[in-house]
Amino acid sequence: MKVVVAHNQYSSAAPSGENVIVDAEIAQLRAAGVEVVPFLRSSDEIGSLPLAQKALLPVAPIWSPAAQRSLAALIRAERPDLLHLHNPYPLLSPGIVRTAHAHGLPVLQTVHNYRQVCAPGLYFRDGHICHDCRGRAFALPAIRHSCYRGSKAQSAIMATSLAVNRRTWHSVDHYLALTGGIADHLRDYGIPDERITVKPNALADPGTPVPVGSGFLFASRLSAEKGLQLLLDAWSRHPVGSLGVLRVASDGPLRPVVEAAAAARSDVVYLGPQNQAGVRAAMRESAVVVAASTWDDVLPTVIIEALSNGRPVLGTALGGIPYLIGDAGWTVAPSVDELAAALPVAAAGAAGLSAAARARYEANFTPDVLMKRLLAVYSGLVNGGRREEVQPVNRYPSGPWATPQP
């Protein structure tokens, strides 16, 4: 079987677990005997694009002719069996779904966020969960609140993309939902249940865990929705050193906040941005990993990393976090009082839950377990038959406002 895996990688300045997962899944597919043809773009490329492509960047989330031409050439050269899409924004655009269909390929998409409805994909703005655009034909509130990259103009482009590509998203042959919550989101969007399979992410086994260390690790992006300020406020309720060390290993817009906390307290250590090996090293020095998200976080990769390393997790009871943690940690409401109360409990109970954390990983999140589910979906799409190939100009009108015709 030959599969095109398409993904627009997030900028290296905005570390993303999604990039890690896509890279890991490509490696896992190849290990399972699937011939993977990567179709990858990175937001880091934007600065070096030719002037003509840069001129089209403002409308790239709606329509990216360069990406569609490149994909068409790749399909003609490789003759793959299907397209597996992850993130299309901003350089790929939803148009690659139409390109794949025009060449007879079924399309599968893994849904990592709420981008079909919400411009930034988070259901979160101004420090709180927000569903203002749910059920709307046009995401006007996203423009009003400058939800996408803090810009009304860019929010208008993304809102337009969501509106004009609604039929494109409804034409996707099958969806992989990381959790039941994402499956509910897709059903609410109008995707029938038979076109949704729940499949969480898998991470490669890092090996036998070492005994738990001491203190806590926060390794999520340093942004408001990931709960850094919530954690620091809860941490400040305890005397310096009473909980061990709080290690912070990441980067993001709130970096000055954690740098200030590290300067003020000797038990807060900022490790800076870390690659996967660096995060794993920090994790092994720690006893508990904290996932303090204040939004409906879909499936934080750091939790799966923690479980695989035998580290229990203290998390907020939002999104997919309780599902991931299960019996291998603690979940609390996203409030300073509850998180502060849970910190000493977690510190005292970490060693006793290390085995449960590792067992949960082995039962639910290993490549062997989840690859069988993914390959079954692939087989169903391929054996269901290739779509009839048609000329894109006949079936799909050209231009940024084009949508598939019935």
Side-chain angles (χ1 to χ4, degrees):
M1 186 184 302
K2 184 183 286 190
V3 177
V4 174
V5 175
H7 177 56
N8 191 125
Q9 297 167 323
Y10 293 87
S11 166
S12 57
S16 166
E18 192 172 326
N19 289 348
V20 174
I21 287 297
V22 173
D23 290 343
E25 191 166 89
I26 288 174
Q28 293 157 16
L29 284 166
R30 286 172 169 160
V34 176
E35 186 175 354
V36 177
V37 181
F39 185 67
L40 307 177
R41 297 292 183 271
S42 171
S43 293
D44 289 338
E45 300 172 16
I46 290 174
S48 60
L49 288 175
L51 288 177
Q53 289 189 40
K54 281 186 178 179
L56 289 173
L57 272 177
V59 296
I62 304 173
W63 178 62
S64 178
Q68 292 177 251
R69 286 194 299 269
S70 295
L71 179 61
L74 183 69
I75 292 171
R76 288 192 294 268
E78 297 288 345
R79 304 301 298 170
D81 296 298
L82 64 90
L83 174 75
H84 185 168
L85 173 63
H86 291 269
N87 171 45
Y89 298 109
L91 298 178
L92 297 183
S93 89
I96 68 168
V97 174
R98 302 195 293 272
T99 300
H101 283 165
H103 288 82
L105 291 189
V107 176
L108 170 71
Q109 187 186 17
T110 296
V111 180
H112 296 268
N113 51 44
Y114 307 102
R115 185 61 64 73
Q116 288 81 8
V117 174
C118 175
L122 301 178
Y123 281 153
F124 183 90
R125 70 168 175 84
D126 299 333
H128 62 84
I129 292 172
C130 171
H131 294 143
D132 287 358
C133 293
R134 183 184 283 176
R136 291 176 177 266
F138 189 80
L140 187 60
I143 303 172
R144 183 181 306 122
H145 298 290
S146 303
C147 289
Y148 189 66
R149 299 182 176 178
S151 163
K152 279 185 166 50
Q154 292 192 58
S155 297
I157 290 167
M158 186 56 71
T160 301
S161 177
L162 299 181
V164 303
N165 284 300
R166 184 179 298 271
R167 294 182 68 187
T168 300
W169 293 130
H170 278 261
S171 76
V172 169
D173 298 271
H174 204 84
Y175 281 100
L176 293 179
L178 298 184
T179 66
I182 287 291
D184 290 340
H185 157 75
L186 289 169
R187 293 185 194 102
D188 186 63
Y189 187 63
I191 306 301
D193 199 54
E194 62 269 18
R195 286 165 52 199
I196 303 170
T197 296
V198 176
K199 187 200 82 68
N201 295 324
L203 281 181
D205 191 341
T208 304
V210 300
V212 297
S214 63
F216 294 76
L217 173 67
F218 180 89
S220 301
R221 175 170 156 76
L222 304 184
S223 53
E225 74 279 0
K226 289 293 188 177
L228 172 68
Q229 190 64 62
L230 171 65
L231 173 58
L232 292 176
D233 289 345
W235 192 262
S236 69
R237 298 279 183 89
H238 299 277
V240 173
S242 63
L243 298 171
V245 172
L246 171 61
R247 301 171 183 86
V248 180
S250 189
D251 204 354
L254 296 186
R255 179 172 179 165
V257 174
V258 71
E259 289 176 333
R265 289 182 60 123
S266 61
D267 60 352
V268 177
V269 176
Y270 180 50
L271 301 175
Q274 298 289 320
N275 60 19
Q276 193 171 12
V279 170
R280 184 173 298 166
M283 197 170 285
R284 292 185 174 190
E285 291 180 358
S286 305
V288 181
V289 171
V290 183
S293 294
T294 56
W295 70 294
D296 285 325
D297 209 337
V298 177
L299 202 83
T301 305
V302 69
I303 297 181
I304 304 177
E305 291 176 313
L307 300 177
S308 70
N309 282 282
R311 295 306 185 262
V313 179
L314 171 59
T316 48
L318 293 172
I321 294 175
Y323 159 72
L324 285 176
I325 295 175
D327 61 355
W330 309 264
T331 55
V332 297
S335 74
V336 174
D337 288 345
E338 292 215 15
L339 186 56
L343 284 167
V345 175
L353 283 181
S354 177
R358 176 66 185 185
R360 183 157 182 80
Y361 163 74
E362 291 176 351
N364 298 282
F365 305 113
T366 66
D368 286 347
V369 169
L370 294 172
M371 190 52 56
K372 292 175 183 176
R373 199 176 305 176
L374 179 57
L375 293 179
V377 174
Y378 280 3
S379 179
L381 288 172
V382 172
N383 292 334
R386 291 173 64 94
R387 286 170 169 255
E388 180 183 356
E389 292 192 30
V390 296
Q391 291 298 319
V393 69
N394 294 334
R395 186 174 178 187
Y396 305 109
S398 60
W401 308 103
T403 55
Q405 300 304 305

